[in-house]
């Protein structure tokens, strides 16, 4: 089929750029279109949760991201109530304090190594999909329009997604009730500047207060992030500029000494609107990130939710384009990620309710604070916010405690699957038919190093998907079960599979 690219991604935010990197890693001809002519450099989101750190580590991309980070935070929060990340089952029990702009900068730089184009100053205005692909209309900087043909289109173009609206996918949920704003500001020299980010990052005080809440975080180089959540932000159009008067009023509310404003570098309004697309996949068009779900930034989950969407989607979309995907693989993106998004929407609504200056909300907050003092309760909520409790359904596979869970510590630099099984076993031999898609490593060392050896519950072999989730666990002589799981997630084998113990029976390769 004659196409300009195999996958076109609308939106060069962290979701679109991570997805483009995943596709580039798989050798998929990809292009990214972005309405803005150049990166803004605005800080926007400020953290990577532990699961996102695992995702980047899985590809070998975490270290260069950490080089750009401000600090590591050993705790998370639920509506400002502290969560202990030290008790989580992860090699990265902390949040990475890093502005979104720096994450985007790394992803864009890395993407260039795959030869993937980011076409800036091009706005997607419409598209038409058919049985073979999608024809996209783009408007350029000079308002001239042109078309681009792709086999698949991914809308990663934000909460006001043009792709989602043109697709006509319902976006049910709740309208905004609370208005807020953030600003990156400079203070007058000596006027209450905070210390460097590594020395001073604390949990925000989100206790209900009729006068409103405000707090500062240092971003380095004399810049501070200011959160504004007071009466002045209510009932204001989201597109209205944040005024200096609002910033000065919020500064006066911040704890500590009086501070004088020098300049506002960037400011933006946001709300607690909560909506989710009814379906993430519609024919050859897919939604990811804020195009698929919007919610309040409570707990610092939004950037992470979108990047994890991309990580789940990338290998599946690449498999479809490359022609080895089993039936229904792309549909599992919706099946797996929609419930995760719904859960984030639910917990952010709960967090926002706990910050309202209402006596009943105050009572619930006090009760929750008591409950979170219990280690088990704190660990449960911390894992939810950190994303380390995500477990995908694995239909058709024998039940096992690790099935669907993350495989932290496993490196999948090449974006392929991984079979953890000793050489010479029946499972290892049967898996040879998938060598073009699945690597093999001896034993369960990555799990043992994390103290998870006992959690394998006697499994002698594990099959890990390219997104780091366990999709099969069994004995090392369970060749039939292993082959069934390999076919379910990686398609038919490329070479005949000879079943040990029954040499006369083979599993046929793909054509």
């Amino acid at each position: 089929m004659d196409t300009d690219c195999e996958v076109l991604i609308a939106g060069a935010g962290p979701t679109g750029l991570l997805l483009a990197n995943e596709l580039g890693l798989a050798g998929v001809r990809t292009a990214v279109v972005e309405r803005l002519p150049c990166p803004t450099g605005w800080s926007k989101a400020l953290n990577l949760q532990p699961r996102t750190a695992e995702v980047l580590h899985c590809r070998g991309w975490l270290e260069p991201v950490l080089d750009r980070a401000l600090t590591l935070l050993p705790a998370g929060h639920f509506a400002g109530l502290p969560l202990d990340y030290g008790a989580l089952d992860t090699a990265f029990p902390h949040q990475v304090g890093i502005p979104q702009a720096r994450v985007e900068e790394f992803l864009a730089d890395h993407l260039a190594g795959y030869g993937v184009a980011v076409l800036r100053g091009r706005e997607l205005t419409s598209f038409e999909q058919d049985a073979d692909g999608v024809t996209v209309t783009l408007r350029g900087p000079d308002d001239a329009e042109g078309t681009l043909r792709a086999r698949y289109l991914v809308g990663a173009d934000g909460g006001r997604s043009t792709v989602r609206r043109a697709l006509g996918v319902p976006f049910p949920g709740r309208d905004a009730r609370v208005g807020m704003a953030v600003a990156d500001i400079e203070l007058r020299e000596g006027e209450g500047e905070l210390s460097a980010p590594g020395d001073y990052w604390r949990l925000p005080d989100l206790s209900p207060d009729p006068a409103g809440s405000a707090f500062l975080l240092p971003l380095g180089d004399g810049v501070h992030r200011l959160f504004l959540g007071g009466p002045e932000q209510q009932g204001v159009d989201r597109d209205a500029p944040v005024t200096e008067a609002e910033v000065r009023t919020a500064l006066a509310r911040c704890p500590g000494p009086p501070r004088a404003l020098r300049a506002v570098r960037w400011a933006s309004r946001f709300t607690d609107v909560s909506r989710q697309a009814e379906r993430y996949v519609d024919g050859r068009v897919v939604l990811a990130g804020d195009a698929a779900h919007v919610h309040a930034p409570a707990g610092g989950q939004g950037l992470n939710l979108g990047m994890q969407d991309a990580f789940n989607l990338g290998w599946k979309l690449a498999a479809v384009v490359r022609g080895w995907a089993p039936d229904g693989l792309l549909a599992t993106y919706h099946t797996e990620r929609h419930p995760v998004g719904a859960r984030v929407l639910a917990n952010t609504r709960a967090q926002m309710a706990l910050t309202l200056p209402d006596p009943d909300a105050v009572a619930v907050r006090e009760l929750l604070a008591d409950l979170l003092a219990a280690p088990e309760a704190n660990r449960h909520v911390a894992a939810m916010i950190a994303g380390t409790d995500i477990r995908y359904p694995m239909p058709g596979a024998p039940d096992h405690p690790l099935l669907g869970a993350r495989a932290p510590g496993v490196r999948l630099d090449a974006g392929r699957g991984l079979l953890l099984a000793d050489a010479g076993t029946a499972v290892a031999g049967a898996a040879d038919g998938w060598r073009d898609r699945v690597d093999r490593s001896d034993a369960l060392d990555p799990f043992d190093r994390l103290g998870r050896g006992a959690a394998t519950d006697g499994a002698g072999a594990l099959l890990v998907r390219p997104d780091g989730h366990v999709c099969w666990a069994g004995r090392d002589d369970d060749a039939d079960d292993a082959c069934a799981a390999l076919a379910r997630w990686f398609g038919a084998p490329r070479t005949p599979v000879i079943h040990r113990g029954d040499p006369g029976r083979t599993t046929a390769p793909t054509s």
Side-chain angles (χ1 to χ4, degrees):
M1 182 179 60
D2 185 20
T3 59
D4 297 291
C5 60
E6 291 172 315
V7 177
L8 178 66
I9 301 170
T15 299
L17 290 174
L18 180 58
L19 177 61
N21 272 278
E22 284 289 281
L23 295 171
L25 179 64
V28 175
R29 287 190 297 115
T30 305
V32 183
V33 293
E34 168 58 50
R35 176 179 57 85
L36 297 176
C38 60
T40 65
W42 298 338
S43 61
K44 298 185 180 180
L46 291 178
N47 75 307
L48 299 177
Q49 296 283 0
R51 177 54 188 156
T52 309
E54 290 179 351
V55 162
L56 294 172
H57 170 75
C58 188
R59 294 290 186 262
W61 300 338
L62 180 59
E63 286 303 320
V65 168
L66 291 178
D67 289 342
R68 304 169 191 239
L70 300 173
T71 188
L72 299 181
L73 309 173
H77 73 90
F78 189 89
L81 301 173
L83 300 173
D84 178 16
Y85 279 5
L88 297 178
D89 176 25
T90 178
F92 310 103
H94 45 250
Q95 293 187 68
V96 178
I98 182 171
Q100 177 177 322
R102 297 189 185 183
V103 176
E104 294 176 359
E105 180 183 57
F106 163 75
L107 292 172
D109 289 347
H110 194 273
L111 189 60
Y114 297 125
V116 174
V118 179
L119 308 175
R120 294 191 174 274
R122 271 80 165 182
E123 181 179 6
L124 185 151
T125 58
S126 64
F127 64 86
E128 293 183 3
Q129 64 169 315
D130 52 52
D132 296 319
V134 186
T135 302
V136 177
T137 301
L138 302 174
R139 180 185 298 126
D142 56 358
D143 285 335
E145 289 194 340
T147 61
L148 191 151
R149 180 76 173 168
R151 291 181 62 184
Y152 288 87
L153 168 66
V154 179
D157 51 342
R160 303 181 186 185
S161 169
T162 299
V163 174
R164 186 192 65 242
R165 293 179 180 181
L167 196 59
V169 170
F171 200 45
R174 178 181 55 69
D175 289 336
R177 297 181 303 177
V178 178
M180 295 159 280
V182 290
D184 289 353
I185 64 172
E186 299 174 23
L187 302 175
R188 288 185 186 171
E189 188 174 354
E191 293 281 353
E193 287 185 319
L194 303 178
S195 56
D199 301 325
Y200 187 91
W201 267 52
R202 58 181 175 79
L203 294 178
D205 182 5
L206 299 178
S207 302
D209 187 342
S213 58
F215 59 86
L216 276 176
L217 288 175
L219 301 183
D221 299 326
V223 181
H224 294 71
R225 163 62 59 85
L226 174 65
F227 172 84
L228 307 83
E232 302 82 13
Q233 284 74 54
Q234 308 315 308
V236 181
D237 188 278
R238 186 183 162 186
D239 293 325
V242 178
T243 67
E244 282 200 9
E246 289 178 85
V247 171
R248 295 181 193 280
T249 299
L251 265 180
R253 289 198 187 106
C254 289
R259 299 177 174 93
L261 177 69
R262 178 183 176 186
V264 177
R265 287 195 174 186
W266 164 76
S268 177
R269 299 187 188 277
F270 63 95
T271 70
D272 65 339
V273 63
S274 183
R275 295 188 175 278
Q276 185 177 26
E278 281 191 358
R279 57 186 182 276
Y280 287 7
V281 181
D282 189 307
R284 291 180 173 268
V285 183
V286 186
L287 301 175
D290 289 353
H293 39 68
V294 293
H295 55 85
Q301 300 170 88
L303 167 66
N304 298 270
L305 183 61
M307 291 181 69
Q308 292 168 37
D309 283 348
F311 199 58
N312 182 284
L313 172 61
W315 72 276
K316 297 174 180 178
L317 191 52
V320 173
V321 171
R322 286 285 161 262
W324 59 258
D327 291 342
L329 181 64
L330 187 56
T332 67
Y333 166 64
H334 171 89
T335 302
E336 294 176 356
R337 293 304 297 173
H338 195 276
V340 174
R343 194 180 188 206
V344 170
L345 264 65
N347 85 54
T348 53
R349 290 197 303 270
Q351 291 186 71
M352 291 304 300
L354 293 176
T355 66
L356 298 176
D358 175 89
D360 291 345
V362 172
V364 174
R365 184 184 181 88
E366 291 173 350
L367 175 61
L368 182 60
D370 287 341
L371 291 174
L372 291 179
E376 186 59 33
N378 195 290
R379 184 163 51 249
H380 176 83
V381 178
M384 176 178 63
I385 300 299
T388 58
D389 69 345
I390 294 172
R391 186 168 183 158
Y392 296 135
M394 296 290 164
D399 193 28
H400 188 275
L402 286 177
L403 200 61
R406 304 147 31 252
V410 173
R411 290 288 288 267
L412 302 163
D413 304 55
R416 294 154 53 92
L418 177 65
L419 178 67
L420 291 162
D422 287 328
T425 61
V427 165
D432 282 348
W434 287 269
R435 279 181 296 180
D436 61 321
R437 284 153 280 169
V438 179
D439 296 321
R440 189 190 61 79
S441 178
D442 290 339
L444 306 178
D445 289 344
F447 294 86
D448 295 335
R449 286 199 300 271
L450 290 170
R452 295 187 61 165
T456 61
D457 281 358
L462 297 173
L463 180 61
V464 182
R465 304 188 320 189
D467 61 355
H469 283 260
V470 177
C471 58
W472 177 79
R475 300 189 313 272
D476 56 17
D477 61 352
D478 287 340
D480 286 346
D481 282 347
C483 285
L486 284 159
R488 184 177 303 114
W489 292 105
F490 297 97
R494 294 297 188 193
T495 58
V497 175
I498 300 175
H499 295 263
R500 299 186 182 189
D502 188 3
R505 183 166 64 90
T506 63
T507 297
T510 56
S511 58

